Amino acid sequence: MHHEAPLYEFLGLTFNLANVLMITITSVIVFIIAVAATRNLSMKPTGMQNFLEWVVDFVKGIIKSNMDWKTGGRFHLLGMTLIMYIFVANMLGLPFSIVIDGKLWWKSPTADPVITLTLAIMVVALSHYYGIKLRGFQEYAKGFVSPMLILFPLKIIEEFANTLTLGLRLYGNIYAGEILLALLAGGLATGVGGTIAAIIPTIAWQAFSIFVGAIQAFIFTMLTMVYMAHKVSHDH
């Protein structure tokens, strides 16, 4: 069940080549989807264009549920990128995994806490950046001591907690799903009886994992906009 990661050291840094490979593949797939959906735009959208316009409206609804569009419109592209990237990343490890010489090369990149925590840190860092940019440093800083100065330590803890929970929630759900799929796949390889017993649960869990992957992409994007709203909106 446990496979080592293909590691490579360069300039004193250690790189997980499987992560590099999978985040690159995810990026390419999302790029291809975006290009394919916008190559031949028409007034009556069909096919891929219709799908992309649905994503546009869906993410717009997420943003408008958290802040006014005048403020939140600037995060529209961020939200679309996150929801599409995370969904595709969640799906990559579902059909199969590739192990070469005991090293796991093909998996969902979001099944690695390094990837999910990096995404979470990026989101939280962006929320602080835009909080300062749109509200000014003085008003932004007041949010850490409002309504009482004694809350400052709790606000700092909250920022770290938000980052950890945002990243680890995504990682935990995707990693657990892949572990169970690996267990079920092991059952498929134990002979005719094991195959018959495991095939239906495997198909059912594959379908459920697609649902979980979509929900986790939605939750990550929704919480991103919640954190943004808390930092940039004057009424939070």
Side-chain angles (χ1 to χ4, degrees):
M1 288 299 299
H2 177 72
H3 302 288
E4 295 182 0
L7 303 178
Y8 179 76
E9 289 192 9
F10 179 70
L11 297 178
L13 300 174
T14 301
F15 294 88
N16 186 328
L17 297 183
N19 283 348
V20 175
L21 172 66
M22 297 312 298
I23 62 177
T24 302
I25 291 174
T26 303
S27 301
V28 170
I29 292 174
V30 173
F31 178 76
I32 291 173
I33 291 173
V35 171
T38 56
R39 281 186 67 184
N40 299 306
L41 297 177
S42 61
M43 294 299 295
K44 294 183 177 180
T46 58
M48 290 295 293
Q49 182 186 342
N50 197 35
F51 165 75
L52 191 62
E53 289 195 10
W54 175 82
V55 174
V56 169
D57 291 337
F58 184 73
V59 174
K60 186 175 182 179
I62 293 175
I63 295 172
K64 292 175 72 174
S65 68
N66 288 284
M67 64 190 104
D68 64 275
W69 183 247
K70 183 178 179 181
T71 302
R74 70 190 78 233
F75 307 124
H76 196 194
L77 187 58
L78 171 65
M80 288 182 58
T81 304
L82 282 175
I83 200 167
M84 292 179 65
Y85 183 89
I86 293 173
F87 176 75
V88 171
N90 292 347
M91 296 299 107
L92 289 182
L94 293 184
F96 55 84
S97 63
I98 296 178
V99 180
I100 301 176
D101 295 329
K103 299 184 185 299
L104 181 61
W105 282 91
W106 185 282
K107 62 173 185 175
S108 295
T110 43
D112 190 309
V114 173
I115 302 299
T116 59
L117 286 172
T118 299
L119 288 171
I121 291 170
M122 176 197 74
V123 164
V124 173
L126 278 174
S127 71
H128 289 290
Y129 168 76
Y130 279 104
I132 296 172
K133 181 179 180 180
L134 298 181
R135 300 174 62 190
F137 181 78
Q138 186 173 0
E139 187 175 352
Y140 159 82
K142 286 181 180 179
F144 287 91
V145 295
S146 177
M148 295 181 294
L149 180 61
I150 196 174
L151 292 178
F152 177 74
L154 296 178
K155 294 292 183 72
I156 297 299
I157 293 173
E158 180 185 23
E159 295 299 323
F160 283 102
N162 286 342
T163 306
L164 285 173
T165 55
L166 185 62
L168 294 180
R169 180 189 299 107
L170 176 59
Y171 157 69
N173 280 276
I174 304 307
Y175 180 71
E178 292 197 358
I179 288 295
L180 185 53
L181 281 174
L183 289 170
L184 291 171
L188 292 173
T190 57
V192 177
T195 300
I196 295 174
I199 191 168
I200 294 177
T202 300
I203 294 173
W205 188 255
Q206 285 272 13
F208 183 69
S209 293
I210 294 173
F211 172 74
V212 169
I215 288 296
Q216 289 304 313
F218 163 72
I219 290 173
F220 195 99
T221 306
M222 171 65 81
L223 289 177
T224 294
M225 296 309 159
V226 169
Y227 297 155
M228 286 291 185
H230 285 172
K231 292 295 185 293
V232 306
S233 297
H234 293 274
D235 56 344
H236 280 82

